[in-house]
Amino acid sequence: MSVTHVLAVVPVRDFDASVAWYESLFGFPPTNIPMPGILAEWRVTENGWVQMTVAAEHAGTALLNFAVDELEWHLAELEGRGLRAGDVQVASKDVRLASIRDRDGNTITFIGNFREKY
């Protein structure tokens, strides 16, 4: 198997309101809107994408994790855009986590000190 891109899917109830919320989360508008009113996409890394799609029956069930270089900086950026994550939690081996929930209850967690090998 040769995978060229990874796309995480976040189900929501309200397309327009959720696009606005995710624009605030990412700090930029969708990269693509292939299906207006149903599907918007943000390119968040070279080959990593987040797809936000209207799927009311699954809204609020997604867990989306982002490993970031400077956790406090990212949290401050979010606050500057009107979004506040929860308190930073320290996990094992100095990994640090802070989560925020979108309008539907999907959980987005920012991970500081992530490494590929522990």
Side-chain angles (χ1 to χ4, degrees):
M1 174 184 342
S2 178
V3 176
T4 59
H5 292 79
V6 174
L7 297 96
V9 179
V10 178
V12 299
R13 288 181 180 85
D14 182 308
F15 182 82
D16 292 330
S18 294
V19 164
W21 193 90
Y22 278 91
E23 282 182 0
S24 292
L25 179 76
F26 294 124
F28 56 91
T31 308
N32 297 317
I33 300 180
M35 300 169 68
I38 298 172
L39 177 69
E41 301 174 327
W42 284 262
R43 185 178 197 164
V44 295
T45 68
E46 184 177 337
N47 294 318
W49 294 72
V50 173
Q51 291 183 317
M52 185 212 72
T53 187
V54 175
E57 66 278 10
H58 299 291
T61 63
L63 301 171
L64 183 60
N65 296 332
F66 293 114
V68 296
D69 288 333
E70 295 182 33
L71 181 60
E72 282 73 17
W73 182 87
H74 284 278
L75 298 177
E77 283 287 305
L78 287 176
E79 285 206 33
R81 294 192 293 268
L83 301 176
R84 186 174 190 308
D87 293 338
V88 174
Q89 306 295 315
V90 178
S92 65
K93 302 187 181 185
D94 200 36
V95 172
R96 303 173 75 232
L97 312 166
S99 298
I100 188 170
R101 290 186 185 263
D102 72 6
R103 301 170 41 83
D104 289 297
N106 295 302
T107 302
I108 299 93
T109 300
F110 295 90
I111 305 168
N113 298 331
F114 175 86
R115 18 197 199 285
E116 292 183 21
K117 291 188 179 184
Y118 291 91

